[in-house]
PDB file of all heavy atoms in Angstrom:
ATOM      1  N   ALA A  24      13.317  -8.093   2.906  1.00  0.00           N
ATOM      2  CA  ALA A  24      13.971  -8.509   1.678  1.00  0.00           C
ATOM      3  C   ALA A  24      13.167  -9.526   0.902  1.00  0.00           C
ATOM      4  O   ALA A  24      13.378  -9.718  -0.280  1.00  0.00           O
ATOM      5  CB  ALA A  24      15.363  -9.063   2.022  1.00  0.00           C
ATOM      6  N   GLY A  25      12.262 -10.234   1.553  1.00  0.00           N
ATOM      7  CA  GLY A  25      11.462 -11.275   0.893  1.00  0.00           C
ATOM      8  C   GLY A  25      10.103 -10.867   0.408  1.00  0.00           C
ATOM      9  O   GLY A  25       9.346 -11.681  -0.129  1.00  0.00           O
ATOM     10  N   ILE A  26       9.716  -9.583   0.541  1.00  0.00           N
ATOM     11  CA  ILE A  26       8.368  -9.159   0.152  1.00  0.00           C
ATOM     12  C   ILE A  26       8.262  -8.941  -1.374  1.00  0.00           C
ATOM     13  O   ILE A  26       9.277  -8.777  -2.046  1.00  0.00           O
ATOM     14  CB  ILE A  26       7.930  -7.945   0.907  1.00  0.00           C
ATOM     15  CG1 ILE A  26       8.734  -6.677   0.455  1.00  0.00           C
ATOM     16  CG2 ILE A  26       8.038  -8.110   2.420  1.00  0.00           C
ATOM     17  CD1 ILE A  26       8.222  -5.347   0.973  1.00  0.00           C
ATOM     18  N   LYS A  27       6.996  -8.916  -1.860  1.00  0.00           N
ATOM     19  CA  LYS A  27       6.713  -8.492  -3.211  1.00  0.00           C
ATOM     20  C   LYS A  27       6.132  -7.102  -3.157  1.00  0.00           C
ATOM     21  O   LYS A  27       5.001  -6.896  -2.731  1.00  0.00           O
ATOM     22  CB  LYS A  27       5.751  -9.471  -3.825  1.00  0.00           C
ATOM     23  CG  LYS A  27       6.285 -10.929  -3.917  1.00  0.00           C
ATOM     24  CD  LYS A  27       5.250 -11.894  -4.508  1.00  0.00           C
ATOM     25  CE  LYS A  27       5.854 -13.300  -4.617  1.00  0.00           C
ATOM     26  NZ  LYS A  27       4.843 -14.260  -5.119  1.00  0.00           N
ATOM     27  N   VAL A  28       6.955  -6.158  -3.510  1.00  0.00           N
ATOM     28  CA  VAL A  28       6.564  -4.744  -3.221  1.00  0.00           C
ATOM     29  C   VAL A  28       5.311  -4.277  -3.931  1.00  0.00           C
ATOM     30  O   VAL A  28       4.613  -3.442  -3.475  1.00  0.00           O
ATOM     31  CB  VAL A  28       7.738  -3.806  -3.604  1.00  0.00           C
ATOM     32  CG1 VAL A  28       8.992  -4.104  -2.760  1.00  0.00           C
ATOM     33  CG2 VAL A  28       8.113  -3.855  -5.108  1.00  0.00           C
ATOM     34  N   HIS A  29       4.948  -4.907  -5.111  1.00  0.00           N
ATOM     35  CA  HIS A  29       3.806  -4.450  -5.877  1.00  0.00           C
ATOM     36  C   HIS A  29       2.502  -4.805  -5.194  1.00  0.00           C
ATOM     37  O   HIS A  29       1.433  -4.285  -5.548  1.00  0.00           O
ATOM     38  CB  HIS A  29       3.856  -5.020  -7.262  1.00  0.00           C
ATOM     39  CG  HIS A  29       3.626  -6.522  -7.384  1.00  0.00           C
ATOM     40  ND1 HIS A  29       4.652  -7.364  -7.060  1.00  0.00           N
ATOM     41  CD2 HIS A  29       2.538  -7.210  -7.719  1.00  0.00           C
ATOM     42  CE1 HIS A  29       4.171  -8.615  -7.215  1.00  0.00           C
ATOM     43  NE2 HIS A  29       2.916  -8.576  -7.595  1.00  0.00           N
ATOM     44  N   LYS A  30       2.534  -5.722  -4.178  1.00  0.00           N
ATOM     45  CA  LYS A  30       1.295  -6.181  -3.542  1.00  0.00           C
ATOM     46  C   LYS A  30       1.435  -6.240  -2.011  1.00  0.00           C
ATOM     47  O   LYS A  30       0.489  -6.758  -1.381  1.00  0.00           O
ATOM     48  CB  LYS A  30       0.852  -7.505  -4.097  1.00  0.00           C
ATOM     49  CG  LYS A  30       1.866  -8.642  -3.899  1.00  0.00           C
ATOM     50  CD  LYS A  30       1.294  -9.913  -4.602  1.00  0.00           C
ATOM     51  CE  LYS A  30       1.092 -10.965  -3.597  1.00  0.00           C
ATOM     52  NZ  LYS A  30       0.568 -12.254  -4.167  1.00  0.00           N
ATOM     53  N   ASP A  31       2.469  -5.751  -1.463  1.00  0.00           N
ATOM     54  CA  ASP A  31       2.649  -5.831  -0.023  1.00  0.00           C
ATOM     55  C   ASP A  31       2.040  -4.659   0.700  1.00  0.00           C
ATOM     56  O   ASP A  31       2.523  -3.498   0.519  1.00  0.00           O
ATOM     57  CB  ASP A  31       4.159  -5.988   0.304  1.00  0.00           C
ATOM     58  CG  ASP A  31       4.372  -6.414   1.731  1.00  0.00           C
ATOM     59  OD1 ASP A  31       4.379  -5.553   2.637  1.00  0.00           O
ATOM     60  OD2 ASP A  31       4.496  -7.647   1.976  1.00  0.00           O
ATOM     61  N   SER A  32       1.085  -4.907   1.597  1.00  0.00           N
ATOM     62  CA  SER A  32       0.364  -3.829   2.312  1.00  0.00           C
ATOM     63  C   SER A  32       1.272  -3.156   3.359  1.00  0.00           C
ATOM     64  O   SER A  32       1.206  -1.966   3.585  1.00  0.00           O
ATOM     65  CB  SER A  32      -0.895  -4.345   2.928  1.00  0.00           C
ATOM     66  OG  SER A  32      -1.869  -4.682   1.944  1.00  0.00           O
ATOM     67  N   THR A  33       2.158  -3.928   3.986  1.00  0.00           N
ATOM     68  CA  THR A  33       3.085  -3.346   4.963  1.00  0.00           C
ATOM     69  C   THR A  33       3.996  -2.378   4.225  1.00  0.00           C
ATOM     70  O   THR A  33       4.264  -1.269   4.774  1.00  0.00           O
ATOM     71  CB  THR A  33       3.864  -4.414   5.641  1.00  0.00           C
ATOM     72  OG1 THR A  33       3.009  -5.410   6.237  1.00  0.00           O
ATOM     73  CG2 THR A  33       4.777  -3.817   6.739  1.00  0.00           C
ATOM     74  N   PHE A  34       4.426  -2.721   3.047  1.00  0.00           N
ATOM     75  CA  PHE A  34       5.274  -1.775   2.308  1.00  0.00           C
ATOM     76  C   PHE A  34       4.503  -0.482   1.969  1.00  0.00           C
ATOM     77  O   PHE A  34       5.081   0.571   2.020  1.00  0.00           O
ATOM     78  CB  PHE A  34       5.784  -2.473   0.994  1.00  0.00           C
ATOM     79  CG  PHE A  34       6.777  -1.702   0.250  1.00  0.00           C
ATOM     80  CD1 PHE A  34       8.072  -1.500   0.779  1.00  0.00           C
ATOM     81  CD2 PHE A  34       6.501  -1.120  -0.999  1.00  0.00           C
ATOM     82  CE1 PHE A  34       9.028  -0.750   0.102  1.00  0.00           C
ATOM     83  CE2 PHE A  34       7.449  -0.425  -1.682  1.00  0.00           C
ATOM     84  CZ  PHE A  34       8.698  -0.199  -1.142  1.00  0.00           C
TER      85      PHE A  34
END
Side-chain angles (χ1 to χ4, degrees):
I26 68 172
K27 298 178 180 178
V28 297
H29 69 284
K30 60 183 242 180
D31 193 275
S32 291
T33 305
F34 188 69

